[in-house]
């Protein structure tokens, strides 16, 4: 009788919703690339807050996944093989990207990804630094320029400016000649200055609405009170771009004579290619707060859940 051996790989999956300890490092079936997909050997992936929000069950009903499930929607690695019809990539290509958030993620040795979800990784950055960029970078860029429509000379307030999204948003704002204010704790004030933030605001000592007036946009990722207070800093016709639900109230926007939007970052390879170009010309520097081996994903989640990480947490696979 012919015996077939299922190829396996190491991955981190969760079998039930819960605390970080539900993340299990184990053997799972190695994926195969379908037509139009490539198999990427993952060298590094990163932790985004959505990972632990999903694991904890906060997004149930909104984003349901079949359990057990592999999280992780940043990848930097090397193409291992290509599926039928793939023309853009070949084995050995060094790539990075943000895989489809509706599908199995990159906390694994391999991931099958649609060929159009990848770009060439920055040549000057290692996989750890490259994996820190895609999801947070796409979010920051799309908030500022796609949704926010910001142009040189305009003023933007970026909340959580020292975080994964925020520290890239400040850098993009400077690159596009915006005036960028940012909020962070006292611990991160010097860091915000180093990033080029024009007006670092210590939320522990200063109410941002006391020092920010008539701005063109706010990038809002905190919700609650921070969102309520953010309307006041906008000039008429300005825009509040929310990164988290619930969607900002149209009523509040109208009452303040401003606009509101909520975004869900999309994978755009032209933007990923631009980030690689900016990194290679020394104009974009992802900050790495910590690197954990893949098997320690639970510790990485614990750290992310403090919501006080500077820059990004990366999981190293190779
Ligand atoms: N819509 C989308 O597509 C999308 C994409 C990515 C992320 N998001 C969401 O956007 C949010 C930010 O993501 P992220 O990856 O940047 O998170 P993150 O890296 O975990 O953010 C951590 C940062 O938040 C700062 N922070 C905490 N409390 C604050 C406060 N009261 N005021 C100002 N800053 C504060 C911390 O600075 P201190 O330590 O100095 O306090 C820290 O640097 C998350 O909720 C995430 O789920 C949405």
């Amino acid at each position: 009788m012919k015996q077939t051996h299922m190829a396996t790989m190491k991955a981190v999956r969760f079998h039930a919703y819960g605390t970080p300890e539900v993340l299990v490092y184990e053997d799972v079936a190695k994926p195969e690339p379908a037509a139009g997909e490539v198999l990427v050997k993952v060298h590094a992936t990163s932790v985004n807050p959505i990972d632990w929000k999903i694991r904890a069950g906060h997004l149930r009903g909104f984003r349901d996944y079949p359990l057990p499930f592999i999280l992780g929607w940043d990848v930097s690695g090397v193409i291992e093989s290509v599926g039928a019809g793939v023309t853009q990539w070949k084995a050995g290509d060094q790539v990075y990207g943000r895989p489809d958030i509706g599908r199995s993620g990159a906390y694994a040795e391999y991931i099958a990804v649609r060929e159009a979800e990848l770009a060439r990784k920055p040549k000057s950055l290692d996989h750890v630094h490259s994996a820190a960029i895609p999801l947070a970078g796409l979010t920051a860029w799309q908030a500022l320029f796609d949704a926010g429509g910001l142009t040189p000379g305009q003023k933007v307030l970026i909340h959580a400016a020292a975080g994964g999204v925020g520290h890239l948003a400040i850098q993009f704002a400077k690159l596009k000649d915006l005036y960028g204010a940012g909020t962070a704790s006292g611990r991160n004030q010097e860091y915000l200055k180093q990033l080029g933030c024009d007006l670092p605001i210590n939320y522990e000592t200063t109410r941002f609405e006391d020092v920010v007036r008539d701005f063109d946009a706010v990038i809002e990722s905190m919700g609650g009170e921070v969102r309520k207070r953010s309307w006041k800093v906008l000039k008429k016709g300005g825009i509040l771009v929310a990164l988290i639900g619930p969607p900002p109230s149209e009523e509040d926007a109208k009452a303040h004579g401003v606009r509101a939007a909520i975004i869900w970052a999309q994978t755009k390879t032209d933007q990923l290619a631009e980030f690689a170009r900016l990194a290679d010309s020394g104009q974009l520097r992802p900050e790495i707060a910590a690197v954990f081996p893949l098997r320690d994903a639970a510790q990485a989640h614990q750290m992310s859940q403090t919501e006080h990480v500077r820059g990004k947490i990366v999981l190293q696979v190779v």
Side-chain angles (χ1 to χ4, degrees), residues 36-226:
E37 295 181 356
V38 300
L39 186 69
V40 179
K41 184 172 171 56
V42 182
H43 283 237
T45 178
S46 97
V47 175
N48 290 287
I50 192 165
D51 302 357
W52 55 259
K53 290 178 187 176
I54 290 171
R55 188 218 69 225
H58 296 337
L59 301 187
R60 287 172 84 171
F62 173 59
R63 291 207 157 259
D64 288 315
Y65 296 96
L67 301 188
F69 189 71
I70 304 175
L71 298 160
W73 292 286
D74 276 311
V75 64
S76 182
V78 180
I79 305 259
E80 176 87 358
S81 61
V82 303
V86 170
T87 51
Q88 199 184 342
W89 303 111
K90 58 178 190 323
D93 285 346
Q94 307 248 344
V95 292
Y96 82 143
R98 196 209 67 163
D100 183 348
I101 218 155
R103 310 203 317 172
S104 192
Y107 286 15
E109 288 181 304
Y110 295 91
I111 182 173
V113 183
R114 293 186 198 98
E115 65 169 329
E117 287 161 358
L118 298 169
R120 286 195 188 279
K121 81 176 247 306
K123 286 193 180 67
S124 59
L125 298 184
D126 59 15
H127 288 290
V128 163
H129 285 78
S130 299
I133 296 177
L135 191 148
L138 291 164
T139 307
W141 188 275
Q142 290 166 24
L144 291 166
F145 308 118
D146 295 354
L150 290 167
T151 54
Q154 290 193 306
K155 295 181 174 181
V156 60
L157 169 62
I158 295 162
H159 285 299
V165 175
H167 87 295
L168 298 178
I170 290 284
Q171 295 181 58
F172 292 148
K174 291 320 295 167
L175 278 163
K176 293 282 183 180
D177 294 322
L178 305 177
Y179 178 89
T183 57
S185 64
R187 184 181 75 90
N188 279 317
Q189 295 302 296
E190 200 48 48
Y191 174 62
L192 292 193
K193 271 187 215 155
Q194 284 167 22
L195 286 176
C197 180
D198 297 294
L199 180 62
I201 302 167
N202 179 351
Y203 65 75
E204 294 170 312
T205 56
T206 308
R207 288 176 73 80
F208 61 84
E209 64 273 37
D210 291 344
V211 291
V212 174
R213 294 266 158 69
D214 289 330
F215 266 41
D216 299 282
V218 179
I219 310 302
E220 201 290 295
S221 55
M222 311 298 304
E225 272 302 300
V226 169

